[in-house]
Amino acid sequence: MRVLGVDPGLTRCGVGVVEGVAGRPLAMVGVGVVRTPADAELSHRLLAVEQGIEHWLDEHRPEFVAVERVFSQHNVRTVMGTAQASAVAMLCAARRGIPVALHTPSEVKAAVTGSGRADKAQVGAMVTRLLRLDAPPKPADAADALALAICHIWRAPAQNRLQQAVALHASKGRTA
Amino acid sequence: MRVLGVDPGLTRCGVGVVEGVAGRPLAMVGVGVVRTPADAELSHRLLAVEQGIEHWLDEHRPEFVAVERVFSQHNVRTVMGTAQASAVAMLCAARRGIPVALHTPSEVKAAVTGSGRADKAQVGAMVTRLLRLDAPPKPADAADALALAICHIWRAPAQNRLQQAVALHASKGRTA
């Protein structure tokens, strides 16, 4: 299972590809950051994010795309750009028929460190260990993208079972 | 000057095309709503918005796209979807090299009614009058999209002059 994790942002959009299955050692396929200039027009920045994501999809052909779920309780100015960059990532995946999963920051932290309130350094350290890297990927957005991909690989079996159960329940309800 | 106005939203994305220049009667070229099902996955909804906007761009070939500037002080849940739908509209325009302008709701209201705090009915009534329609376009999102396009046609000369002045000042500063 090959997953592209996307930590959305306009200034720095973290991207990381991880391959593996739950219960086995994972492998990093690639990691990087898509950057757009802060002084460019918003529509041009979104276009640059699209081109960056398209490049990563072309290059690594992931089977799933995992994107950080954006909340608006934080910094109100940043969050709009984050929401818009995440929309571009989701759109690029949907256009290719690649399933998109959203994971919250605390789900991702809990998946890789065991605590939903872990800090950036802890997430970076665990990503480094789990992918057997020489050093934590920089910047933090790149490490976060890898953490998202790892989270998806580990959570996916449970999510799939849950979705199957819901679908079964719904179909039973309809035929009862 | 032909402008596509976009009132962004995931459930209903208003679209309206207006042709004209400031100081002359305006003409409506088309109006409608791009809808996506509330129970669909977010990535699929964004894809449906993209397909809808692409259709309007193909059909009407606007020279400018005017999108409502999204603020986050309102309903926090809705605003994320609105920000994401607006990102898709801006992206579609940028991909074709069509200039994108953002106008705030109060700029739009002030442009068409004279008051930045006008209500929906007032905006609908003025859009109807200015475009010489038989009745206000329904739903309100469609009327708002037309109001955005009208606002852009009327504000554009001033904005262009301002941008020219800023560019001139910047180039003078550089050669001084």
Side-chain angles (χ1 to χ4, degrees):
Chain A
M1 171 170 183
R2 182 177 278 208
V3 180
L4 170 67
V6 179
D7 183 32
L10 283 178
T11 305
R12 286 184 309 277
C13 185
V15 279
V17 182
V18 177
E19 202 166 57
V21 289
R24 301 251 195 98
L26 303 167
M28 182 178 83
V29 178
V31 67
V33 175
V34 175
R35 294 171 196 272
T36 80
D39 59 351
E41 248 185 52
L42 179 52
S43 62
H44 295 153
R45 299 185 79 181
L46 296 169
L47 189 60
V49 171
E50 179 181 55
Q51 287 163 349
I53 299 286
E54 286 290 338
H55 173 80
W56 278 81
L57 294 173
D58 280 339
E59 191 89 351
H60 295 295
R61 309 261 158 210
E63 295 149 272
F64 295 89
V65 172
V67 182
E68 188 178 293
R69 189 186 290 278
V70 184
F71 287 109
S72 46
Q73 58 256 43
H74 309 299
N75 185 328
V76 151
R77 282 191 75 87
T78 334
V79 92
M80 304 300 287
T82 310
Q84 293 178 322
S86 79
V88 173
M90 286 186 264
L91 184 64
C92 290
R95 229 160 23 205
R96 294 173 185 233
I98 303 174
V100 175
L102 300 174
H103 301 287
T104 67
S106 51
E107 284 167 353
V108 174
K109 287 173 191 171
V112 301
T113 74
S115 162
R117 282 174 291 174
D119 62 16
K120 291 255 172 223
Q122 221 180 323
V123 171
M126 283 308 296
V127 164
T128 309
R129 185 173 308 168
L130 293 165
L131 299 176
R132 287 152 293 136
L133 309 175
D134 294 329
K138 300 266 160 131
D141 315 77
D144 285 348
L146 290 171
L148 264 155
I150 295 170
C151 170
H152 186 70
I153 291 172
W154 286 353
R155 283 172 55 97
Q159 282 194 341
N160 292 348
R161 279 198 301 276
L162 183 65
Q163 281 171 351
Q164 280 171 339
V166 169
L168 189 66
H169 182 80
S171 67
K172 273 188 181 160
R174 222 172 285 132
T175 55
Chain B
M1 168 169 185
R2 180 176 280 207
V3 180
L4 170 66
V6 179
D7 183 32
L10 283 178
T11 304
R12 286 184 309 276
C13 183
V15 279
V17 182
V18 177
E19 201 165 58
V21 290
R24 300 253 194 95
L26 304 167
M28 183 178 82
V29 178
V31 67
V33 175
V34 175
R35 293 172 197 272
T36 79
D39 59 352
E41 249 184 52
L42 179 51
S43 62
H44 295 151
R45 300 184 79 180
L46 294 169
L47 189 60
V49 171
E50 178 181 56
Q51 286 163 349
I53 298 287
E54 287 289 337
H55 173 80
W56 278 80
L57 293 173
D58 280 338
E59 191 87 351
H60 296 294
R61 309 260 157 210
E63 296 148 272
F64 295 89
V65 172
V67 182
E68 189 179 292
R69 189 186 290 278
V70 184
F71 287 109
S72 46
Q73 58 256 42
H74 309 299
N75 185 326
V76 152
R77 282 190 74 86
T78 334
V79 93
M80 304 299 287
T82 310
Q84 293 178 322
S86 79
V88 173
M90 286 187 264
L91 183 64
C92 290
R95 230 158 25 202
R96 293 173 185 235
I98 303 173
V100 175
L102 300 174
H103 301 288
T104 68
S106 51
E107 284 166 352
V108 175
K109 288 173 191 172
V112 301
T113 74
S115 162
R117 282 173 292 173
D119 63 15
K120 292 253 172 224
Q122 220 179 322
V123 171
M126 282 309 294
V127 165
T128 310
R129 186 173 308 167
L130 293 166
L131 299 176
R132 286 152 293 136
L133 309 175
D134 295 329
K138 300 266 162 134
D141 315 76
D144 285 347
L146 291 170
L148 264 155
I150 295 170
C151 170
H152 185 72
I153 291 171
W154 285 353
R155 284 172 54 97
Q159 282 193 341
N160 292 347
R161 279 198 301 276
L162 183 65
Q163 281 169 352
Q164 282 171 337
V166 169
L168 189 66
H169 181 79
S171 67
K172 273 188 181 158
R174 222 171 288 132
T175 55

